[in-house]
Amino acid sequence: GESVGLHLPTLSVQEGDNSIINCAYSNSASDYFIWYKQESGKGPQFIIDIRSNMDKRQGQRVTVLLNKTVKHLSLQIAATQPGDSAVYFCAETLTGFQKLVFGTGTRLLVSP
Amino acid sequence: NAGVTQTPKFQVLKTGQSMTLQCAQDMNHNSMYWYRQDPGMGLRLIYYSASEGTTDKGEVPNGYNVSRLNKREFSLRLESAAPSQTSVYFCASSARQGLAGGQFFGPGTRLTVL
C-alpha cells in the first residue's frame, strides 16, 4: 500500500509494551480533541475523544491525557499489539465549530 | 450500513483533465467534508458542508468545487487537474454539530495527475 506519510515521526515498540504517542495542539481556545488511527490504505478511524473540562479519559486499552497549560495531548496504548501498528493523528476543534484541525501524525510500529 | 463510500478508489489523470470524486453516506449525517492527505502534511480540509444546501471553503479550496447533491451525497470536482493535486482524497461525515463523536471517514481515492 501507499505510504501515508514518508517523513512522519515514528515510535517503535515491542509487542506487549505500553505506547505513548504525543501531540502538541495549536489553538489554546480548542475545547474538544480526538485521536484517530489510520491503517495503511484506509481512512482514519475514531479511537477516543476528550473535552477540555477533563484531563484524562479512558477507553479499552487506550487513555488520553490532556494538559491545557502546555497545549499537549497524549494517547497511551496498553499492552500494544501488532494490530495497533498504524499512523495516529490528533485533531482539535472548538465546540459548535464544524472543522477539525489535524496534526501531522505519528507512525507506530509494533514488532512481535 | 456501508458508512461512507467513495468512488473511484484509484484514478490517473493527465494535466488539464477534469473529474468528479463521489462520496455518499448512509448514516443520516448532516455534515460532510472533503480532505486531501499528502505525505508529511496530515489531513487538510478542502471544502465542507454543514448541512444540506450549504457549502464552505476549508483550508485548501483552490482548484476544487463541490456539490452537496442531497443529504447523502457530496461530490468534489477538479475542473482542470494539475500535478499538485496528486494526493489521497478522503470524504468524511459527522452526525452532530460540534463534531461530538468525531467524523467518519471513507476509504479514500488515490489520485495521480501526470
Side-chain angles (χ1 to χ4, degrees), chain A residues 53-96:
Chain A
N53 60 352
M54 303 172 69
D55 52 20
K56 180 179 180 179
R57 189 162 188 227
Q58 287 185 292
Q60 188 175 13
R61 278 202 310 119
V62 294
T63 301
V64 55
L65 299 177
L66 174 62
N67 184 331
K68 294 182 288 293
T69 304
V70 295
K71 295 191 293 182
H72 184 267
L73 272 173
S74 67
L75 177 71
Q76 300 179 358
I77 305 174
T80 313
Q81 302 167 0
D84 295 326
S85 293
V87 177
Y88 290 81
F89 294 95
C90 66
E92 60 181 290
T93 191
L94 199 55
T95 299

